[in-house]
Structure formats: C-alpha cells, structure tokens
Amino acid sequence: MIWTGNPKIRSLARFFEARWFLSIVLVGVFLWSLTGVDWNGSIVHSGGGSSFKDFSLGLFPPELSPGFMKLAIIASWQTVVHAVAGMTLAVIIGLPLGVVASGSLGNPSRSRLAIAVVVRFVLAFMRSIHELVWAVLFVAAFGLSSLAAVMAIAVPYAGMLGRIYSEVLNDVPEGPLDGLRSAGGSSFSVLVYGRMPMAITDMLSYSFYRFECAIRAAAIMSFVGIRGLGFEIQLSLNDLLFGEVWTLLFFLFGLVLLVDYWSTRVRRSLDS
Amino acid sequence: MRLTNDIAGQESNCSNAEAPLVDGRGIGKSFGTLMALAPLDISIGAGERVALAGPSGSGKSTLLYLLAGLVPPDRGELILDSQPVAGLQPGKELSEAVGLIQQQLDLVPQLPVIQNVLAGRLGQWGILRSLASLFSARERKSVEVVLSRLGVADKIDEPTSHLSGGEQQRVAIARLMIQAPKVLLADEPVSSLDPARAEEILRLLTGLVADTGGAMVASLHSPDLIREHFTRVIGLRHGILQFDIPARELTSTVLEALYDLDREPED
C-alpha cells in the first residue's frame, strides 16, 4: 500500500482491517437492513403462485419449433459476438493498464509510483460503474448498435482485468525475478521472462471467468434495447410464452457451459 | 622512451592483473534495526575461490546479495572490476561483472529449460531481441553445447518444473555459463545435495571459474569441501567478520567455534 510509511495511518488502517471490526460492521448492516423490510405487508406477492406454476409448466415442453430454434441460435450468436468482441477489447486495454498499475516496469521512482496510482484510479473508475450503466451511456452515444454493447462490456471489464492482472503480476515469487535481475535482466525482460510466465495461468483463468460473466452481461444488454438472447427472453416473457423463455434459458446455460469447458481445456494444457 | 614504457606498464598493471575483482571498503547492510552485515573490508582477486562459512542468519546471503549488486550497501563502497558498483550500468555491465546462483535456484518453473539458460544473455540483449527470443529461441547452438557439457542436453525443450533438483542445479549453472560473469557468486549451491553430487557441482563451478579466469564466492558449511575446492575461507557470525584465512588453515576447532550455539554475539 502507498500509505504504509506513516505509522499513525498504518495503525488506523490496521484497525479498519481487523477481522472483528469488519465482522461487527457486516452483522450490523445486515440487522439494519431487516428494519427496512415491511413485515406487516405481504412479503410474497399474492398472485405469485399461479405465475410460478405457469412458468414451471412452460418447461413441458419448451418451444422447440424449427423457426424458434433458428431465432434462438441467431440471438445466441449475437450475444456471443458481443461478449467475444467486448472481452477481446477488454484484454487489449486491460493488459497494458494492468502492467502499468502493477508498477513493475521502469526504474523504481516517485514518478513511476505516481503513474501507477493514477492508472489504478482510472481502472477503479472503469469498473465501479456497472456494465448496464455503461450500456445506457454508450447507447446514448452510438445508438442501439452492437458497438454500444461491445463498449459497455469492454470498459468495465478492462477495469476488472487490469486490476487483477496487476495484482497477479505483483504476487509472483521474488526469487526467480532476482535470478533474472542478476543475469542482467531489465524490468521489461523480468516482466516477460519472469512475471508473465509465472502469472499467465492465473491471468488466463480469471479472464475466462470474466468471459463467462461477459456472456451473461451481453445477454442482459437487452434491458437497454440491444439485440441478443436477453432481448428475446424479454419479448417472450412479455407475451407470457414461457416455453420460449425456457428454450432461450437453455441456450444461455449451454453457452456458459461451453465457455467453462473451453477454459478448463486451455488451463489444463497450460498446467502440463 | 623508457619512462613512457614504465608508466604504460604500471597502468596496465593497475587496471588488470593486480587490481582485485571485488573490492569492498567498509560495506555493511542493516534491515531496520537488524544489523545484517557489520561494515567489513573484502578484497578478492582473480583466480580466488572464497568460501563463506557461518550459521544461518550470519549474513552470508546478505554479503552475496551485496556483491551481486541486487541490494545496495547502506555504507561503504563496493568496487567491482575497478568500477564502483553504483556506476555500473545495471543490466549489461553488472551482469558481465557478477552473476549469482541462488539457494533455491530460482529458475522460472514455467519456462522451458532453453529459455531459463538464455536468460543469462538478458544483460546483453535489448528489449526486442529478448522478446523475439521468447517466441523463437536464439543461440540454440551455444545452449546445446553448455547443456551437453553438464550432461542434461536432452532436457533442452522441457518445462523447467519437470526437472529434478539436481537437473535444475545444472540448468542454473548453465545460465551462469552463458552469462559468463567475472565473479561467480553461489548461495549454498550444495546444501540440498548428496556428497557425490555436491562434489560434482563444485567441480563444475571451479572449472567455470578456471575457464573465465575470474573468481568465485560461495557459501557452504562442509569443512572438507571448503578445504578441497576453495583457496580461502571467510567466517561470519551475527553479521560480523570472524576470520579470513586460507582454506587449508581451516581446522575443526575454528569451525566449531563459528557454529557454537551458546556463544553470545560480541558487540
């Protein structure tokens, strides 16, 4: 941390990081949240039972007509395209920002630390705004286009990736890095010969996890009107066509499973 | 005419054979309030093989890290190969002067063997060449030569993590052979090896020093190995220099006193 130099602030920071303090705050917040619930009113919506029944019955059978399957495939394809493009852009933006934020490039100096701190703030800003909010902003800027969906995923995800990349790059064991330094390695060669190879498995597995999230985020983009799986789910829900909803949900589930399978394969090939 | 010759002769004497490769004047290091290494003078000439002895926490590793230029001394001045270490260009010049084998070997486990060996060239290579070599290894021939000298040529393309401890030791030595520094530093190079292997590793290291005409500093505990493979032995205890004697004068009484658990640190 940047402020560890000052003993007063350090002891203050330790106080706020103490386990018992955090526990009390979390329990307190939970108890306080209970006071917000209207216990006398109906917690469960009275008409909910029949809706739930209709929804469950939609599963027998789900809508499997060729015409609708074609629509579901196209919608899935749109969702995947948005997720892949957004994720690719997020990695392209997040990787260099993460490297700079880790502070592992260049000679140790005050200015390098300052740049790293500024980049960390930029990354924090990018990810502190939810992808749906970014989607609203980008739809306002680019209209209801794929570009808006891609950017809405790329920006916050680059913020998350950059932060995690910088932490993983800093968390590698120091020994091999010292070995490279004593062999004359510059901070750049220490990065590509030491930090990157040691961190790559963690970086990849986090990126794949984020890719999974990106699929779900891309599906949800429908709430601001962008096409994809979520858009079709919303249309079917509005028409109370639960059979169609189920089909679309299975497609979404299938996509996530596919990404999961792929990421396991890639990680296994890296570990061996 | 004669006068100029004399001066020229003296100058070449100063900068080459006579000047020590390592010249530490009052170098010391503290970590917070802990005095890891009390200021000491150390001078090591070409051809010398210096053993560092002393119990754990005696400052051996700190001294090696200081000599490697990885940790700057708090006080004193360190001169490597007639140049102040602070003035040496960190990558290229420093890696030509000194190279270090660490206690835990500290190779990058995920890289193939050839890349870990070629890391010995990083001081000579620029950014682009280092990056390009990571994708298509350069100077494969010279790595093959070095690895076959060490008997592990068949491992050249394997991930380093697949190698046994003894094999990794050779890879670390191969990296140093590729780097070819004037002063070779080794932090407990034989601590985890059986006697036969320890013997062999030390023979490889002394052979390397003989080839380059440089010097070697290594920390180890075995008096037999010290007497056999080294010319000089330095004893450290609680970061304080205890003795600096020719290796053949190392007796078990001297060494027992050095490792004696009951003795208090002298201040």
Side-chain angles (χ1 to χ4, degrees):
Chain A
M1 283 286 120
I2 349 159
W3 52 69
T4 43
N6 186 332
K8 222 179 211 171
I9 299 179
R10 197 166 43 193
S11 67
L12 200 68
R14 207 174 292 149
F15 174 77
F16 283 111
E17 283 163 14
R19 193 175 298 174
W20 62 267
F21 179 82
L22 281 176
S23 310
I24 289 176
V25 167
L26 288 176
V27 171
V29 167
F30 172 69
L31 292 176
W32 178 60
S33 74
L34 294 183
T35 65
V37 178
D38 180 11
W39 295 102
N40 297 321
S42 56
I43 295 178
V44 181
H45 172 46
S46 54
S50 65
S51 302
F52 186 75
K53 204 180 104 198
D54 290 346
F55 184 62
S56 306
L57 285 178
L59 186 53
F60 306 101
E63 177 63 52
L64 294 172
S65 67
F68 189 73
M69 290 300 273
K70 195 180 157 204
L71 182 138
I73 289 170
I74 291 172
S76 304
W77 178 243
Q78 282 168 332
T79 298
V80 170
V81 166
H82 292 164
V84 170
M87 207 48 208
T88 308
L89 204 55
V91 172
I92 292 172
I93 301 169
L95 185 60
L97 289 182
V99 168
V100 175
S102 76
S104 55
L105 268 190
N107 295 317
S109 66
R110 209 170 270 266
S111 61
R112 183 181 79 171
L113 192 67
I115 292 171
V117 170
V118 168
V119 172
R120 269 175 234 172
F121 269 108
V122 171
L123 289 173
F125 175 77
M126 288 161 72
R127 68 173 183 274
S128 65
I129 298 173
H130 193 270
E131 49 260 38
L132 269 185
V133 181
W134 280 116
V136 173
L137 295 174
F138 283 120
V139 164
F142 303 127
L144 280 173
S145 66
S146 290
L147 182 61
V150 170
M151 292 302 291
I153 290 172
V155 172
Y157 279 47
M160 297 175 213
L161 292 179
R163 184 241 164 100
I164 298 292
Y165 288 168
S166 78
E167 281 182 4
V168 174
L169 287 172
N170 271 332
D171 267 359
V172 299
E174 272 297 310
L177 304 183
D178 274 341
L180 294 171
R181 288 187 193 111
S182 86
S186 63
S187 64
F188 177 79
S189 25
V190 170
L191 176 74
V192 295
Y193 275 76
R195 291 184 193 277
M196 288 283 197
M198 289 195 277
I200 192 78
T201 318
D202 283 347
M203 286 165 71
L204 259 182
S205 82
Y206 184 75
S207 306
F208 269 110
Y209 165 66
R210 271 296 145 202
F211 182 45
E212 219 177 282
C213 300
I215 296 257
R216 279 181 278 133
I220 290 300
M221 290 296 168
S222 64
F223 285 103
V224 294
I226 296 169
R227 300 294 296 245
L229 267 179
F231 187 82
E232 305 300 336
I233 291 178
Q234 205 180 16
L235 286 185
S236 304
L237 263 181
N238 288 345
D239 296 343
L240 301 178
L241 296 169
F242 294 118
E244 292 185 7
V245 173
W246 276 108
T247 308
L248 294 165
L249 284 180
F250 283 134
F251 269 87
L252 185 56
F253 183 54
L255 286 184
V256 172
L257 273 189
L258 222 59
V259 173
D260 193 45
Y261 172 72
W262 181 31
S263 87
T264 315
R265 286 288 298 271
V266 170
R267 261 180 291 161
R268 202 171 294 158
S269 77
L270 269 179
D271 279 340
S272 67
Chain B
M1 197 59 198
R2 239 189 52 177
L3 192 68
T4 2
N5 266 346
D6 266 351
I7 290 171
Q10 271 173 5
E11 268 179 1
S12 70
N13 265 353
C14 281
S15 58
N16 291 328
E18 300 300 314
L21 283 175
V22 175
D23 189 6
R25 298 166 187 168
I27 52 170
K29 181 77 192 173
S30 304
F31 296 105
T33 55
L34 175 78
M35 171 83 81
L37 188 69
L40 60 81
D41 294 328
I42 182 169
S43 173
I44 298 166
E48 277 198 277
R49 298 187 301 275
V50 182
L52 295 180
S56 308
S58 60
K60 303 186 300 288
S61 297
T62 306
L63 180 55
L64 286 169
Y65 267 64
L66 283 183
L67 296 182
L70 285 173
V71 174
D74 294 336
R75 63 202 87 190
E77 192 187 14
L78 177 61
I79 292 164
L80 289 175
D81 200 18
S82 310
Q83 287 199 66
V85 71
L88 287 174
Q89 190 190 324
K92 189 175 186 311
E93 291 177 357
L94 191 62
S95 68
E96 284 169 0
V98 283
L100 171 73
I101 296 188
Q102 290 153 292
Q103 196 167 351
Q104 305 303 328
L105 300 174
D106 288 334
L107 302 162
V108 181
Q110 291 83 353
L111 288 181
V113 167
I114 184 169
Q115 296 294 354
N116 263 311
V117 176
L118 282 174
R121 281 270 193 272
L122 286 178
Q124 310 295 320
W125 288 349
I127 284 183
L128 284 181
R129 193 179 288 202
S130 315
L131 198 58
S133 173
L134 206 49
F135 295 99
S136 161
R138 294 174 159 257
E139 304 180 28
R140 189 181 173 92
K141 203 91 223 133
S142 50
V143 177
E144 278 171 358
V145 169
V146 165
L147 285 179
S148 60
R149 252 185 82 184
L150 296 169
V152 283
D154 53 324
K155 309 281 179 191
I156 187 164
D157 290 316
E158 275 192 45
T160 308
S161 55
H162 288 194
L163 271 60
S164 71
E167 288 165 344
Q168 293 200 19
Q169 202 115 21
R170 284 149 203 270
V171 174
I173 292 175
R175 178 193 277 182
L176 218 52
M177 288 167 86
I178 286 282
Q179 185 184 342
K182 294 209 173 85
V183 181
L184 197 156
L185 308 168
D187 196 359
E188 310 230 356
V190 296
S191 60
S192 54
L193 300 180
D194 60 69
R197 248 176 244 290
E199 189 79 26
E200 196 190 347
I201 293 295
L202 284 176
R203 259 194 296 112
L204 287 169
L205 288 176
T206 48
L208 182 54
V209 174
D211 285 353
T212 58
M216 162 162 115
V217 185
S219 57
L220 70 170
H221 301 286
S222 153
D224 292 336
L225 290 176
I226 291 176
R227 275 189 293 261
E228 188 185 342
H229 294 280
F230 290 82
T231 59
R232 183 175 152 194
V233 55
I234 289 176
L236 289 169
R237 190 184 166 90
H238 300 299
I240 298 163
L241 181 74
Q242 305 290 315
F243 55 77
D244 183 352
I245 55 175
R248 60 176 185 281
E249 288 174 22
L250 183 70
T251 61
S252 44
T253 351
V254 174
L255 214 58
E256 269 164 32
L258 187 68
Y259 284 92
D260 187 358
L261 287 175
D262 299 327
R263 222 169 46 141
E264 287 301 305
E266 51 257 69
D267 290 301

